[in-house]
């Protein structure tokens, strides 16, 4: 009896008996049923293998995607911190510039007062 899987013969169930015609119709029907069931089981095993391979590929894709999400989240957090530091730097620079302007005015006024005092002493 041929074992057929996906339309092609993949094996044979052979029952040898020394006497020709030793098997009656019921025996041949049992052999035919066993061959059909074996063929179905072979197809099922192939499908299980294919499904398992797809599962492993999907699992690997999920792992890679999870890793990419983690990397992206870390990069976004780093970018946020860099932008925050940049903003603090700009704010600090602005304060320093304004403070320097005030110090220049104070310094200039002190020089003016010093000059006026020197002229008053002369």
């Amino acid at each position: 009896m041929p074992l057929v899987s996906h339309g092609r013969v993949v094996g044979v169930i052979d029952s040898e008996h020394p006497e020709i015609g030793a098997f009656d119709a019921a025996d041949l029907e049992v052999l035919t049923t066993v061959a059909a069931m074996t063929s179905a089981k072979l197809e099922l095993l192939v499908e299980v293998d294919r499904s398992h391979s797809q599962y492993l590929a999907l699992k690997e894709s999920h792992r890679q995607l999870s890793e990419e999400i983690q990397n992206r989240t870390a990069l976004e957090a780093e970018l946020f911190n860099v932008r925050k530091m940049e903003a603090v730097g700009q704010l600090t620079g602005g304060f320093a510039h304004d403070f320097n302007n005030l110090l220049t005015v104070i310094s200039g006024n002190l020089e003016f007062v010093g000059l006026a005092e020197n002229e008053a002493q002369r």
Side-chain angles (χ1 to χ4, degrees):
M1 292 289 139
L3 298 176
V4 179
S5 178
H6 294 82
R8 28 172 257 186
V9 175
V10 294
V12 175
I13 293 181
D14 184 19
S15 59
E16 295 183 13
H17 195 281
E19 296 176 26
I20 296 177
F23 299 108
D24 62 9
D27 293 333
L28 292 177
E29 186 175 332
V30 168
L31 284 176
T32 302
T33 302
V34 168
M37 290 174 69
T38 303
S39 294
K41 182 65 175 181
L42 288 172
E43 288 181 4
L44 183 61
L45 289 173
V46 167
E47 189 61 31
V48 166
D49 262 358
R50 191 181 67 77
S51 293
H52 184 69
S53 294
Q54 287 178 341
Y55 168 75
L56 292 177
L58 183 61
K59 187 175 170 183
E60 176 61 19
S61 295
H62 181 267
R63 186 197 64 75
Q64 288 175 353
L65 184 59
S66 295
E67 187 178 311
E68 290 295 322
I69 289 170
Q70 276 185 321
N71 290 341
R72 181 181 176 134
T73 302
L75 286 174
E76 286 173 350
E78 188 176 332
L79 178 60
F80 176 77
N81 285 333
V82 166
R83 286 181 177 167
K84 184 170 61 172
M85 294 303 293
E86 181 183 11
V88 168
Q90 288 176 355
L91 187 61
T92 304
F95 284 145
H97 181 74
D98 291 345
F99 187 70
N100 190 37
N101 286 345
L102 287 173
L103 287 179
T104 301
V105 169
I106 291 170
S107 177
N109 284 333
L110 286 175
E111 281 183 38
F112 184 64
V113 167
L115 287 177
E117 201 175 277
N118 282 344
E119 282 189 23
Q121 288 177 356
R122 282 191 202 170

